[in-house]
Amino acid sequence: MSDADDDYDAADAGAADCTPIEAGSVRKGQFLKIKGRPCKVVDMSKAKVGKHGAAKCQFTGIDIFTSKKLECVAPAGAQLAQPIVERNDLQLTDINEEGFVSLMTDNAEMREDLKLPDDQALADKIQGLFDEGKDVAVTLLKACGQEQIIDVKTITT
């Protein structure tokens, strides 16, 4: 089996939302782009160097937005893409009839371009806390040009 048959994502020069990382230096708990999706590495194994080639690394990751399990195999010296992942807490100010949320950033700017999450339990929890009139903050996860609300908490003053 040649290296051309392996399924791994190489970091390209235009990946502004990612940084390059060598496959052999990736550890469990880090983020890695697998099959074009930002994932958190939950398992990693490294095969020893054989007489026919370089050491191989096998990664198992969970997509940080969809929670789907993805796998990839790459030579230990290959350059892979490590997504830049940001977490922000924003204050919830309104939820409209279509499910769009109004959020206030730390510098008092309003954002109204996000919907309630697809996770129905989380969406119901956010709606319930907001309907009770509590001050609510949502945690926003951002990576690879995608944003999603992943958590909610009440603000205590």
Side-chain angles (χ1 to χ4, degrees):
M1 182 179 215
S2 71
D3 286 349
D5 296 334
D6 291 335
D7 180 25
Y8 63 93
D9 298 318
D12 60 350
D17 52 2
C18 297
T19 57
I21 186 168
E22 193 171 288
S25 64
V26 175
R27 300 288 171 249
K28 196 185 288 191
Q30 288 183 311
F31 295 104
L32 190 64
K33 210 166 179 185
I34 301 176
K35 296 183 178 159
R37 302 291 303 161
C39 298
K40 185 169 189 170
V41 177
V42 293
D43 191 30
M44 185 254 180
S45 62
K46 194 184 284 189
K48 293 184 180 181
V49 178
K51 67 178 186 178
H52 294 297
K56 302 276 190 225
C57 297
Q58 180 174 358
F59 303 100
T60 303
I62 303 294
D63 188 315
I64 60 176
F65 293 118
T66 64
S67 298
K68 289 185 180 172
K69 186 177 179 179
L70 298 170
E71 294 184 350
C72 118
V73 176
Q79 291 290 312
L80 302 179
Q82 184 175 37
I84 298 169
V85 180
E86 297 176 20
R87 292 175 72 105
N88 293 315
D89 288 335
L90 305 173
Q91 185 173 352
L92 179 65
T93 58
D94 192 26
I95 302 174
N96 72 14
E97 308 84 39
E98 297 163 5
F100 282 93
V101 294
S102 295
L103 303 171
M104 187 168 39
T105 64
D106 291 337
N107 54 1
E109 292 179 8
M110 295 301 291
R111 291 202 46 193
E112 298 177 340
D113 58 336
L114 292 168
K115 287 190 102 165
L116 284 170
D118 293 333
D119 178 5
Q120 196 58 48
L122 180 57
D124 290 344
K125 184 177 178 182
I126 293 169
Q127 186 73 53
L129 289 170
F130 181 74
D131 289 343
E132 290 174 17
K134 295 186 177 180
D135 287 335
V136 178
V138 295
T139 302
L140 186 67
L141 194 65
K142 178 182 180 180
C144 300
Q146 189 175 357
E147 294 179 303
Q148 184 173 317
I149 296 171
I150 59 161
D151 196 14
V152 63
K153 57 188 168 192
T154 56
I155 301 171
T156 55
T157 52

